[in-house]
Amino acid sequence: MSRREKIEAMLVDEPGDTFLRYSLAMELEKEGANDASLAKFNELTRDEPPYVPAFFMAAQQLAKLDRVNEARSYLRDGIEAARQQGNAHAAGEMSEFLSSLGSAGE
């Protein structure tokens, strides 16, 4: 049984588990299933409260796929979510990554 399959099996019992859902998104990315991975990250960003690491991971994945404008959007939303949650460290990391993208893709 693959790591992804194990995570999926655990999610059957705990479908709302944020860390398991995040882990599944990460595994899907490792397998090259970018659309599925990004969809899972997107779900996490829409949770209440949003899961801040999902914004950053989605943005990094999008940047690797040369979807830089979409990455910027995730970063801006993620910075705002991090600030609302008092997570200055995550907001800072995403701000740095946003700056590093410069004018790429524009």
Side-chain angles (χ1 to χ4, degrees):
M1 185 180 280
S2 73
R3 183 172 162 89
R4 178 182 49 81
E5 291 168 329
K6 289 176 185 172
I7 294 167
E8 288 171 336
M10 288 186 279
L11 276 167
V12 169
D13 294 328
E14 298 185 54
D17 186 296
T18 300
F19 187 73
L20 287 175
R21 293 165 55 219
Y22 180 76
S23 298
L24 178 58
M26 298 291 289
E27 286 302 312
L28 289 165
E29 179 184 10
K30 285 180 193 170
E31 293 176 5
N34 293 305
D35 289 339
S37 173
L38 289 166
K40 295 295 179 191
F41 283 134
N42 190 50
E43 289 172 11
L44 288 160
T45 67
R46 295 181 187 282
D47 279 357
E48 198 51 55
Y51 188 60
V52 170
F55 289 98
F56 196 24
M57 296 311 298
Q60 288 179 322
Q61 188 177 158
L62 287 162
K64 286 182 210 163
L65 296 169
D66 285 326
R67 293 165 59 181
V68 179
N69 287 331
E70 290 172 82
R72 280 190 192 96
S73 180
Y74 269 94
L75 290 167
R76 288 183 189 108
D77 292 346
I79 291 164
E80 180 62 27
R83 287 182 179 149
Q84 287 177 357
Q85 293 178 30
N87 190 339
H89 179 75
E93 284 186 326
M94 286 186 278
S95 293
E96 286 178 25
F97 187 55
L98 181 58
S99 294
S100 78
L101 294 176
S103 61
E106 286 186 27

